[in-house]
């Protein structure tokens, strides 16, 4: 392929692969930010006074043991009252509105992964962000019409959100040299936490100052700017990019075994039987599903725990909920860089690196939730524990979440679509589960049950992934292996032999 005369433009400023990683990270931040903003905005959308009266959620039900079952508001909480919103949505309706995002998320992932592999991951990602922007901007009008209309908007956002991980996995499999895979994957996927912290802070401030409608108009409008940059700066592979330097193109292609965009594997069917009988892949499925339960518990329900149990007002709620996701971003980048450094010097294998990242993302949050069950209304301790737990969840980005590309780079989009589809089930169940348990019972005792269930799932993740997880490329990733099953030897971790595909 001829290299355009402008081929050195990006090389002089910033490598093209990191332009991809940065814009990919911002894209993930937008999708996650537009997903979680409703969790914060809903605090200002609901008429809490009327809802509490309708559900008979009176203080006298737990007044006999306030220190154990119900925290008392602080002076800051009572002096800064939150204005009630217009919606009389019961806790069950709230749970449905929050969980319906995952209905669309659930159905779009596997088709999105195959479309990204067969056609264009760039345009799949563009579709994801665009539909989220459109549905976000329309949310206030639809919510005023009926909560069913708001549900439709959330399902639309979920359809777009479902294809983000498959699309980015496909792009990373073509753009990320194996030696930089953990760092690039962490940079991209840590955007989810960066988007979360920005969204929660913006949503809290906008709701308190300009009204809940501004959350959707402002955030949706700003996010549309990304779409323009993505169209002009991103290509599906280094071979297609007109502005990449020849040196960087050669670096990427050589590190990936000679070709960055070999089209022959696109006609190769996914080896479904081998995929679903692969121990390392099934370990990722279990880890992803269990971890997502804890992730969505903190991502979606944390604002409600802070409001209902710890009695934080809206501004305090936004700050204390959002800041841990910022520390998560820094932690995930530091951990991924450290693990790549250790791997590059052969101190640890890729398998060990993935397990270390996953252990950080499971052991620490589980321990924090266990402690949270027994500290009562100690707000400072609760905030500290939640901050530590959320921060360490960042280990998943360089843990199991990068593992699909290790074991089968040619089917990375499909594999992450499968695991993320299964891992979407917690996103559907968690809001409904919490809504049912806390209906008329917004107390520490109710949340203690929720936390223990989460801890149990983290324990399952720890055991299964520690035993069966692997960072080795699997034989069924290779075209000839899929046809003959004749090559039992696993390839070295940092060799992605595209020439055989």
């Amino acid at each position: 392929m001829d290299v355009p005369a402008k081929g050195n433009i990006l090389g002089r400023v910033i490598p093209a692969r990191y332009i991809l990683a940065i814009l990919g990270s911002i894209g993930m931040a937008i999708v996650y930010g537009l997903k979680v903003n409703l969790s914060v905005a809903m605090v200002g959308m609901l008429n809490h006074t009327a809802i509490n009266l309708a559900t008979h959620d009176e203080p006298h039900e737990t007044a006999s043991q306030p220190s154990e079952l119900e925290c008392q508001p602080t002076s800051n909480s009572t002096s800064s009252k939150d204005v009630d919103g217009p919606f009389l949505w019961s806790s069950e309706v709230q749970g449905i509105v929050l969980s319906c995002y995952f209905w669309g998320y659930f159905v779009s992932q596997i088709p999105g992964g195959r479309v990204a592999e067969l056609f264009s991951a760039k345009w799949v990602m563009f579709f994801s962000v665009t539909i989220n922007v459109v549905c976000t901007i329309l949310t206030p009008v639809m919510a005023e019409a009926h909560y069913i209309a708001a549900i439709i908007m959330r399902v639309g956002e979920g359809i777009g959100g479902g294809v983000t991980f498959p699309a980015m996995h496909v792009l990373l499999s073509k753009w990320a040299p194996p030696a930089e895979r953990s760092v690039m994957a962490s940079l991209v996927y840590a955007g989810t936490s960066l988007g979360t912290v920005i969204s929660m802070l913006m949503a809290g401030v906008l709701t308190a100052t300009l009204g809940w409608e501004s959350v959707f108009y402002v955030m949706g409008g700003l996010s549309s700017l990304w779409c323009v940059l993505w169209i002009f700066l991103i290509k599906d592979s280094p071979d297609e990019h007109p502005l990449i330097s020849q040196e960087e193109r050669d670096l990427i292609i050589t590190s990936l075994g000679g070709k960055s965009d070999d089209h022959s594997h696109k006609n190769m069917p996914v080896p479904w039987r081998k995929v679903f009988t692969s121990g390392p892949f099934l370990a990722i499925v279990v880890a992803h599903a269990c971890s997502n339960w804890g992730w969505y518990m903190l991502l979606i329900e944390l604002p409600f725990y802070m409001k209902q149990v710890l009695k934080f007002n809206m501004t305090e709620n936004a700050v204390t909920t959002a800041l841990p996701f910022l520390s998560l971003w820094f932690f995930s980048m530091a951990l991924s860089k450290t693990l790549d450094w250790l791997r590059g010097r052969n101190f640890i294998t890729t398998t060990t690196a993935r397990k270390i990242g996953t252990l950080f993302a499971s052991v620490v949050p589980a321990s924090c939730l266990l402690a949270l069950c027994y500290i009562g209304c100690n707000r400072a301790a609760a905030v500290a524990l939640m901050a530590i737990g959320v921060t360490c969840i960042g280990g998943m980005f360089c843990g199991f979440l990068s593992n699909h590309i290790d074991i089968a780079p040619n089917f990375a989009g499909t594999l992450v679509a499968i695991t993320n589809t299964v891992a979407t089930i917690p996103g559907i169940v968690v809001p409904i589960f919490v809504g049912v348990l806390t209906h008329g019972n917004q107390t520490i005792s109710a949340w203690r049950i929720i936390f223990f269930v989460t801890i149990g799932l983290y324990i399952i993740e720890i055991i299964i992934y520690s035993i069966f997880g692997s960072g080795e490329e699997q034989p069924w990733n290779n075209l000839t292996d899929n046809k003959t099953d004749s090559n039992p030897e696993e390839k070295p971790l940092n060799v992605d032999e595209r020439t055989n595909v």
Side-chain angles (χ1 to χ4, degrees):
M1 178 178 291
D2 293 332
V3 180
K6 296 181 179 180
N8 291 321
I9 290 178
L10 290 183
R12 296 195 194 103
V13 182
I14 185 171
R17 64 189 184 276
Y18 282 98
I19 291 286
L20 168 75
I22 292 169
L23 281 180
S25 183
I26 295 173
M28 298 296 290
I30 290 171
V31 171
Y32 264 69
L34 299 184
K35 173 168 69 173
V36 303
N37 62 4
L38 182 63
S39 299
V40 179
M42 190 178 286
V43 176
M45 294 168 67
L46 300 175
N47 189 324
H48 298 280
T49 303
I51 292 172
N52 288 340
L53 289 174
T55 57
H56 305 288
D57 186 19
E58 300 293 346
H60 68 264
E61 295 178 0
T62 56
S64 59
Q65 293 179 297
S67 61
E68 169 63 20
L69 297 179
E70 183 176 9
C71 300
Q72 299 304 304
T74 62
S75 57
N76 288 337
S77 300
T78 55
S79 63
S80 178
K81 291 186 178 180
D82 298 325
V83 178
D84 280 331
F87 300 108
L88 299 173
W89 295 347
S90 67
S91 59
E92 289 85 356
V93 171
Q94 295 170 37
I96 292 172
V97 171
L98 289 173
S99 69
C100 67
Y101 177 96
F102 299 97
W103 304 348
Y105 197 89
F106 184 87
V107 302
S108 67
Q109 292 184 80
I110 294 178
R114 287 306 284 160
V115 169
E117 289 172 345
L118 296 173
F119 300 104
S120 172
K122 167 189 172 176
W123 290 107
V124 170
M125 186 66 183
F126 175 80
F127 159 80
S128 169
V129 176
T130 302
I131 191 173
N132 269 270
V133 168
V134 172
C135 290
T136 295
I137 293 174
L138 291 176
T139 292
V141 175
M142 294 299 184
E144 292 283 2
H146 198 278
Y147 77 85
I148 297 296
I151 286 174
I152 294 173
M153 292 299 96
R154 294 291 291 176
V155 172
E157 290 182 48
I159 290 173
V163 304
T164 52
F165 278 93
M168 288 310 305
H169 257 53
V170 172
L171 287 169
L172 286 171
S173 72
K174 296 177 181 179
W175 278 92
E180 301 176 19
R181 188 172 291 158
S182 292
V183 170
M184 288 186 65
S186 292
L187 177 58
V188 169
Y189 297 129
T192 59
S193 63
L194 193 60
T196 298
V197 66
I198 294 173
S199 178
M200 286 183 167
L201 289 173
M202 283 187 65
V205 172
L206 288 171
T207 301
T209 57
L210 300 178
W212 64 269
E213 298 96 335
S214 66
V215 173
F216 304 98
Y217 295 137
V218 172
M219 297 178 68
L222 291 175
S223 299
S224 62
L225 299 175
W226 175 94
C227 301
V228 178
L229 295 175
W230 185 261
I231 289 173
F232 291 105
L233 294 179
I234 301 302
K235 298 295 181 183
D236 277 302
S237 71
D239 280 335
E240 300 176 17
H241 209 300
L243 302 180
I244 191 175
S245 68
Q246 185 62 47
E247 293 79 9
E248 184 181 7
R249 179 186 281 108
D250 292 341
L251 168 66
I252 296 171
I253 292 176
T254 300
S255 71
L256 295 178
K259 292 185 180 181
S260 69
D261 193 22
D262 189 348
H263 294 275
S264 62
H265 80 278
K266 292 185 175 182
N267 295 322
M268 182 66 188
V270 178
W272 296 110
R273 182 180 62 82
K274 295 180 181 180
V275 168
F276 287 112
T277 56
S278 170
F281 173 71
L282 294 177
I284 299 174
V285 174
V286 173
H288 203 164
C290 294
S291 182
N292 262 26
W293 179 282
W295 172 249
Y296 288 127
M297 183 65 65
L298 295 171
L299 188 69
I300 299 174
E301 301 301 333
L302 193 56
F304 290 95
Y305 178 77
M306 306 292 278
K307 169 77 174 178
Q308 296 173 355
V309 176
L310 298 183
K311 309 298 184 184
F312 283 96
N313 63 46
M314 188 173 296
T315 303
E316 295 170 327
N317 195 347
V319 173
T320 54
T321 301
L323 288 182
F325 290 94
L326 181 61
S327 59
L328 181 156
W329 188 85
F330 288 111
F331 174 78
S332 64
M333 296 306 302
L335 180 62
S336 63
K337 188 66 176 177
T338 301
L339 294 178
D340 266 356
W341 184 85
L342 292 172
R343 284 198 311 142
R345 285 157 179 75
N346 296 319
F347 292 136
I348 60 174
T349 65
T350 300
T351 299
T352 302
R354 299 293 178 247
K355 291 183 178 180
I356 290 173
T358 302
L359 285 173
F360 268 107
S362 52
V363 173
V364 178
S367 301
C368 291
L369 288 176
L370 182 62
L372 199 60
C373 291
Y374 296 104
I375 62 168
C377 296
N378 187 331
R379 290 176 175 82
V383 170
L385 285 170
M386 287 187 285
I388 294 170
V390 170
T391 297
C392 290
I393 287 179
M396 72 179 176
F397 299 126
C398 57
F400 67 83
L401 206 51
S402 301
N403 205 185
H404 313 75
I405 306 175
D406 299 322
I407 67 173
N410 294 328
F411 304 104
T414 296
L415 296 190
V416 74
I418 295 170
T419 67
N420 217 18
T421 297
V422 176
T424 299
I425 296 174
I428 298 173
V429 174
V430 163
I432 298 174
F433 173 67
V434 173
V436 170
L437 284 182
T438 60
H439 179 67
N441 185 31
Q442 299 168 358
T443 62
I444 291 177
S445 294
W447 281 90
R448 195 172 286 162
I449 298 172
I450 296 167
F451 292 153
F452 274 125
V453 171
T454 306
I455 292 167
L457 292 172
Y458 272 133
I459 292 173
I460 293 173
E461 174 189 356
I462 293 165
I463 294 172
I464 297 298
Y465 194 79
S466 296
I467 295 174
F468 298 105
S470 173
E472 300 293 329
E473 183 178 323
Q474 300 302 296
W476 44 266
N477 174 67
N478 188 275
L479 177 62
T480 56
D481 290 341
N482 289 338
K483 288 183 176 180
T484 65
D485 292 332
S486 61
N487 184 8
E489 183 180 354
E490 291 184 341
K491 310 292 188 298
L493 244 324
N494 58 356
V495 177
D496 189 1
E497 294 191 332
R498 296 288 197 177
T499 53
N500 292 331
V501 182

